[in-house]
C-alpha cells in the first residue's frame, strides 16, 4: 500500500499553528489599522531613547538596543499570540548582561557586543527547543493572584527608575526601596528646569488622556519637547537629553565567539531566557486578561526564542516583553501586533534619516511618558478585593508585590509562585474531612456542617476525605480519622466516602491498610464507599479487596450500612 504524500493542506495547518498572524490577519478590521499605526509610532518614540539607555546599561553601543526593538518586534509580531506585548531590551536583562559579560569582555566594547550577540542566539535556541518540548505549562504556576501583585510591584519598580530622571538627579539603588531612599537623599540636587519640564509633560499627558482619549498624546508631548529643547538653551541649564545615535541599519551576522566559550555563555543564556519568559508571560497574561483574548503559552516560547535569535544575529542582545513598553503600546491603542511592525518601521526610518533630531529629547519627558503608562498597573482596589474575598490569596499577591519590589521582577514572581505552591501543598497535606449524617427520610448522607438536620449514627462513623490520598497527606488523614473514632467511643464501623478522592498513590493505599489494622485492634472495621475505578484497581492490586468492603464494586454509604445490618441480623 502506497503512502499518501503529505498534503498541502497539512502544511498549511502546520504554518497556521506556528504562525498565529496567519490565523487572525484575514479577520483584521480596517478600523484597527489607525489605532495600530498610532500605537506603533508612539511605541517607536518611546523605544528609541529607552533602548539607548538600556544598551548603555548593558555596556553595549547605544544602537544595540534599537536593533533589539527593530528585529525582535517584527519576528514576535509573526510568531507571538499577544496583541499588546512589546519586545525589546529590559532593565533586568541589561543588568544581567553587564554583570555577567563585563569580566569576560575586559572592557572591550566589540568583544562585549559579540558575547551579548552569542547569548541572544543561545537564548533563542533554548526558547525554540522549549517550544518543541511543549514546556509552556510552566507559566501555569503564575496564577491570576500572582499577576495582581506583580502588576502593582512592577508598576512601582518602573516608577522608581523614572523618578530620578523626572527630578534631574543622579540616583542609584538595586531595588525599589533603595532607589526611593537614594532619591530622598539627593532631592536637594533637583534641577528645577528638568522638574518643570517633566511636570508640564505629566500635566499635558493627564489632560490629554481625559480630554482627547485614544489620541497620540505621548507622541505630541515628545515632539513638542524636542522642538522646545531645540530652540531654547535648556541644555545649558542642566536639562539632560538622549544624545546622538549612530545612523544605519544592522548587518545580519553570526557572533564571533570561540567555541570554547560557548559552554560559559550557555548558563548566562539560560538565565536570560528564563528571565525573558517569566517576565514576558506575566505581561502577556496581564493584557490578555484585561482585553479578554486567548494566548498560547507554548507558542510564546517559540515567539520569544525566535525574537532573541533575530536580535542575536542582528547585533543586538537578549530581549524580553517588558511591562513598561507594553503598557505604552497598549495605552497608545494597539489592537494587534501590527503595531510592533509599525514601530519597527518607524525605528528603521529614524535610524536611516533622523537620528540627529533625537539628541534633543529630554529625559524628564520620557520619564513622564513612562509614569503615565504604568500608572494604570497600580490598582490597590484589586488587592483590597482579594483581602475581602480570600486572605490566603491576598498573602500570595502581597508576596508577589513585595518580592518584585525587593528582588526584581523575575525573583519576585518566582518567589510568589513558590509561596503559592507551598500554600497549596500545605492545604493539600491537611485535607478537610467532613462528618456525614443521614438526611431525614432518605438514604442519602450529607455534610453535617452544611445540613444541620442530618441524623448521626451511634455506632457508625461516616467520613468523607475531600482530596486525593497521596504520600504527603496520607498519614495526616489517618491521624484525623483515628482521632474522630476515639472521640466517638461506640464506633464499630468506619465508612470513608472516597467520592471526592479520584486519585490515590501507593502511600495512600498502604495508609488505608494500616488504618484497617488499627481499627481492628479497637474492635472496629473499615469500609470504603464511592470508590472510583482507578482507585479501585490500585486497591485490588494491593490485595485489599478481600479485607475492606466496598472495593470490589462501587457502593454507596447507605448500601454499606444496609449490608452491615443484614450481616448482624443473619448473625
Amino acid at each position: 500500500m502506497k503512502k499518501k504524500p503529505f498534503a498541502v493542506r497539512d502544511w498549511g495547518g502546520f504554518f497556521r499553528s506556528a504562525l498565529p498572524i496567519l490565523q487572525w490577519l484575514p479577520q483584521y478590521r480596517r478600523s484597527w489599522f489607525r489605532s495600530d499605526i498610532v500605537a506603533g509610532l508612539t511605541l517607536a518614540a518611546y523605544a528609541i531613547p529607552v533602548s539607548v539607555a538600556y544598551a548603555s546599561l548593558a555596556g553595549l553601543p547605544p544602537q544595540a538596543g534599537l536593533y533589539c526593538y527593530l528585529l525582535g518586534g517584527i519576528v514576535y509580531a509573526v510568531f507571538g499570540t499577544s496583541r499588546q506585548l512589546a519586545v525589546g531590551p529590559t532593565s533586568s536583562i541589561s543588568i544581567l548582561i553587564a554583570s555577567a559579560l563585563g569580566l569576560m569582555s575586559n572592557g572591550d566594547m566589540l568583544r562585549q557586543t559579540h558575547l551579548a550577540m552569542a547569548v541572544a542566539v543561545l537564548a533563542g535556541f533554548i526558547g525554540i527547543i522549549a517550544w518543541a518540548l511543549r514546556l509552556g505549562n510552566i507559566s501555569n504556576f503564575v496564577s491570576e493572584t500572582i499577576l495582581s501583585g506583580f502588576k502593582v510591584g512592577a508598576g512601582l519598580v518602573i516608577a522608581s527608575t523614572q523618578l530620578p530622571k523626572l527630578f534631574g538627579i543622579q540616583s542609584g539603588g538595586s531595588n525599589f526601596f533603595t532607589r526611593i531612599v537614594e532619591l530622598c537623599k539627593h532631592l536637594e540636587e533637583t534641577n528645577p528646569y528638568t522638574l518643570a519640564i517633566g511636570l508640564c509633560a505629566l500635566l499635558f499627558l493627564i489632560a490629554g488622556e481625559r480630554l482627547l482619549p485614544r489620541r497620540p498624546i505621548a507622541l505630541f508631548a515628545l515632539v513638542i519637547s524636542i522642538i522646545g529643547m531645540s530652540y531654547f538653551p535648556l541644555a545649558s541649564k542642566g536639562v539632560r537629553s538622549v544624545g546622538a545615535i549612530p545612523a544605519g541599519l544592522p548587518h545580519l551576522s553570526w557572533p564571533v565567539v570561540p567555541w570554547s566559550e560557548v559552554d560559559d555563555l550557555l548558563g548566562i543564556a539560560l538565565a536570560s531566557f528564563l528571565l525573558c519568559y517569566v517576565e514576558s508571560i506575566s505581561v502577556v497574561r496581564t493584557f490578555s486578561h484585561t482585553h479578554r483574548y486567548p494566548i498560547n503559552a507554548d507558542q510564546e516560547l517559540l515567539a520569544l526564542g525566535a525574537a532573541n535569535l533575530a536580535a542575536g544575529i542582528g547585533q543586538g542582545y537578549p530581549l524580553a516583553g517588558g511591562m513598561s513598553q507594553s503598557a505604552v503600546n497598549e495605552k497608545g491603542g494597539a489592537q494587534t501586533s501590527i503595531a510592533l511592525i509599525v514601530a519597527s518601521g518607524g525605528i528603521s526610518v529614524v535610524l536611516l534619516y533622523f537620528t540627529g533630531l533625537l539628541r534633543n529629547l529630554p529625559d524628564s519627558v520620557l520619564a513622564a511618558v513612562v509614569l503615565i503608562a504604568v500608572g494604570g498597573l497600580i490598582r490597590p482596589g484589586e488587592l483590597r478585593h482579594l483581602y475581602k474575598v480570600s486572605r490566603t490569596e491576598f498573602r500570595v499577591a502581597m508576596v508577589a508585590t513585595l518580592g518584585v519590589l525587593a528582588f526584581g521582577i523575575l525573583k519576585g514572581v518566582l518567589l510568589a509562585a513558590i509561596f503559592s505552591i507551598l500554600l497549596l501543598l500545605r492545604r493539600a497535606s491537611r485535607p478537610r474531612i467532613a462528618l456525614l449524617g443521614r438526611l431525614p427520610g432518605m438514604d442519602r448522607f450529607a455534610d453535617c456542617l452544611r445540613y444541620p438536620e442530618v441524623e448521626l449514627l451511634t455506632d457508625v462513623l461516616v467520613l468523607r476525605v475531600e482530596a486525593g490520598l497521596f504520600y504527603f497527606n496520607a498519614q495526616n488523614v489517618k491521624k484525623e480519622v483515628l482521632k474522630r473514632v476515639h472521640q466517638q467511643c461506640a464506633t464499630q464501623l468506619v465508612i470513608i466516602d472516597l467520592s471526592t478522592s479520584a486519585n490515590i498513590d501507593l502511600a495512600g493505599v498502604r495508609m488505608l491498610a494500616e488504618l484497617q489494622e488499627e481499627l481492628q485492634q479497637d474492635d472496629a472495621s473499615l469500609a470504603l464507599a464511592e470508590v472510583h475505578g482507578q482507585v479501585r484497581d490500585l486497591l485490588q492490586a494491593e490485595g485489599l479487596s478481600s479485607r475492606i468492603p466496598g472495593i470490589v464494586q462501587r457502593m454507596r454509604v447507605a448500601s454499606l450500612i444496609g449490608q452491615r445490618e443484614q450481616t448482624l441480623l443473619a448473625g
Side-chain angles (χ1 to χ4, degrees):
M1 183 175 180
K2 292 184 178 180
K3 293 184 179 180
K4 294 183 179 180
F6 200 67
V8 175
R9 61 177 180 273
D10 293 333
W11 282 107
F14 171 78
F15 282 117
R16 280 193 297 273
S17 62
L19 305 175
I21 192 173
L22 298 179
Q23 299 178 20
W24 56 260
L25 197 57
Q27 288 81 37
Y28 190 83
R29 301 177 186 174
R30 291 184 179 180
S31 58
W32 293 349
F33 189 57
R34 183 174 179 276
S35 298
D36 283 338
I37 289 179
V38 171
L41 294 177
T42 304
L43 177 61
Y46 165 83
I48 290 169
V50 167
S51 58
V52 169
Y54 286 160
S56 301
L57 181 61
L60 298 168
Q63 64 271 22
L66 290 171
Y67 298 158
C68 288
Y69 268 109
L70 173 63
L71 299 172
I74 295 175
V75 172
Y76 181 84
V78 175
F79 291 97
T81 60
S82 175
R83 300 176 187 176
Q84 283 80 31
L85 185 72
V87 296
T90 63
S91 58
S92 53
I93 290 184
S94 298
I95 293 172
L96 174 63
I97 292 298
S99 59
L101 301 182
L103 294 177
M104 295 180 66
S105 63
N106 226 4
D108 186 341
M109 181 72 76
L110 181 60
R111 177 168 165 75
Q112 178 89 346
T113 300
H114 282 281
L115 289 173
M117 290 170 60
V119 172
V121 169
L122 291 173
F125 282 123
I126 289 173
I128 294 172
I129 293 171
W131 165 74
L133 297 176
R134 296 294 187 264
L135 299 181
N137 284 333
I138 60 175
S139 67
N140 292 334
F141 291 104
V142 183
S143 66
E144 297 297 334
T145 302
I146 293 175
L147 286 180
S148 297
F150 161 78
K151 289 187 290 184
V152 175
L156 291 173
V157 166
I158 295 169
S160 70
T161 64
Q162 301 303 311
L163 287 176
K165 297 179 182 180
L166 187 68
F167 286 86
I169 61 179
Q170 294 285 351
S171 179
S174 58
N175 57 44
F176 171 81
F177 301 106
T178 56
R179 290 191 193 103
I180 296 300
V181 170
E182 289 295 318
L183 177 66
C184 294
K185 288 182 180 178
H186 294 86
L187 276 179
E188 59 184 17
E189 303 172 9
T190 299
N191 186 309
Y193 296 96
T194 301
L195 181 59
I197 292 173
L199 292 178
C200 287
L202 276 174
L203 293 175
F204 180 81
L205 292 169
I206 293 172
E209 284 195 349
R210 293 184 177 181
L211 300 176
L212 299 171
R214 306 193 69 81
R215 296 292 189 274
I217 303 300
L219 185 58
F220 294 156
L222 296 180
V223 172
I224 293 172
S225 64
I226 290 174
I227 295 174
M229 196 76 174
S230 301
Y231 286 94
F232 296 96
L234 296 175
S236 62
K237 303 296 184 180
V239 178
R240 297 188 183 91
S241 59
V242 172
I245 301 174
L249 297 178
H251 299 286
L252 303 182
S253 62
W254 289 101
V256 181
V257 174
W259 278 106
S260 59
E261 295 182 340
V262 171
D263 186 51
D264 296 330
L265 296 176
L266 191 58
I268 304 173
L270 182 60
S272 296
F273 188 77
L274 179 62
L275 181 60
C276 162
Y277 185 67
V278 171
E279 186 172 358
S280 301
I281 201 66
S282 299
V283 178
V284 166
R285 294 180 63 186
T286 296
F287 287 114
S288 68
H289 179 73
T290 301
H291 295 275
R292 300 184 182 279
Y293 61 82
I295 55 103
N296 187 323
D298 287 325
Q299 185 66 27
E300 289 301 308
L301 289 170
L302 174 62
L304 294 170
N308 273 280
L309 181 60
I313 64 176
Q315 302 179 44
Y317 66 102
L319 49 76
M323 179 60 78
S324 58
Q325 59 256 40
S326 300
V328 169
N329 191 36
E330 191 257 356
K331 284 286 185 180
Q335 300 296 316
T336 68
S337 54
I338 293 293
L340 297 186
I341 298 176
V342 174
S344 296
I347 292 173
S348 299
V349 172
V350 170
L351 279 172
L352 289 171
Y353 305 110
F354 302 108
T355 53
L357 298 178
L358 294 175
R359 68 173 68 241
N360 292 325
L361 175 61
D363 285 344
S364 59
V365 175
L366 176 64
V369 173
V370 176
L371 290 173
I372 292 296
V374 302
L377 300 176
I378 306 173
R379 296 177 179 176
E382 291 186 11
L383 297 180
R384 285 197 298 268
H385 175 72
L386 286 176
Y387 184 81
K388 292 179 181 179
V389 174
S390 172
R391 299 294 174 86
T392 300
E393 299 293 323
F394 173 76
R395 293 188 188 101
V396 172
M398 288 306 301
V399 167
T401 300
L402 296 176
V404 170
L405 294 179
F407 306 111
I409 290 176
L410 174 65
K411 293 180 180 178
V413 172
L414 291 179
L415 178 64
I418 293 172
F419 181 71
S420 180
I421 293 171
L422 291 177
L423 286 180
L424 180 63
L425 290 176
R426 180 178 179 273
R427 187 184 305 171
S429 68
R430 297 183 179 276
R432 181 174 181 270
I433 300 178
L435 176 62
L436 306 185
R438 190 196 303 268
L439 289 169
M442 304 176 65
D443 62 353
R444 291 179 55 195
F445 284 73
D447 188 347
C448 64
L449 293 180
R450 297 281 183 180
Y451 300 89
E453 69 274 16
V454 299
E455 302 170 351
L456 297 178
L457 306 181
T458 56
D459 58 347
V460 178
L461 181 64
V462 184
L463 303 173
R464 182 174 64 215
V465 182
E466 299 184 343
L469 295 176
F470 302 104
Y471 67 93
F472 52 80
N473 66 9
Q475 293 303 314
N476 290 330
V477 170
K478 186 180 77 170
K479 290 179 182 178
E480 182 63 23
V481 171
L482 292 175
K483 177 182 176 183
R484 300 280 185 94
V485 171
H486 295 152
Q487 289 175 348
Q488 186 172 323
C489 299
T491 301
Q492 297 181 6
L493 173 64
V494 177
I495 300 177
I496 297 182
D497 183 345
L498 295 180
S499 59
T500 54
S501 303
N503 297 293
I504 190 173
D505 66 359
L506 195 58
V509 173
R510 291 174 178 172
M511 180 276 292
L512 292 175
E514 294 172 4
L515 179 61
Q516 188 260 348
E517 293 175 358
E518 294 189 32
L519 287 174
Q520 282 185 343
Q521 295 176 3
D522 293 334
D523 297 325
S525 58
L526 175 66
L528 302 178
E530 302 287 354
V531 184
H532 291 269
Q534 292 182 347
V535 177
R536 188 162 59 247
D537 293 341
L538 188 56
L539 292 171
Q540 289 177 334
E542 283 293 301
L544 295 185
S545 57
S546 60
R547 298 163 54 186
I548 303 177
I551 296 178
V552 176
Q553 58 181 346
R554 186 166 182 170
M555 300 181 67
R556 299 169 57 199
V557 174
S559 300
L560 288 168
I561 294 177
Q563 188 180 73
R564 173 178 176 269
E565 292 175 350
Q566 292 177 2
T567 303
L568 292 175
L569 289 174

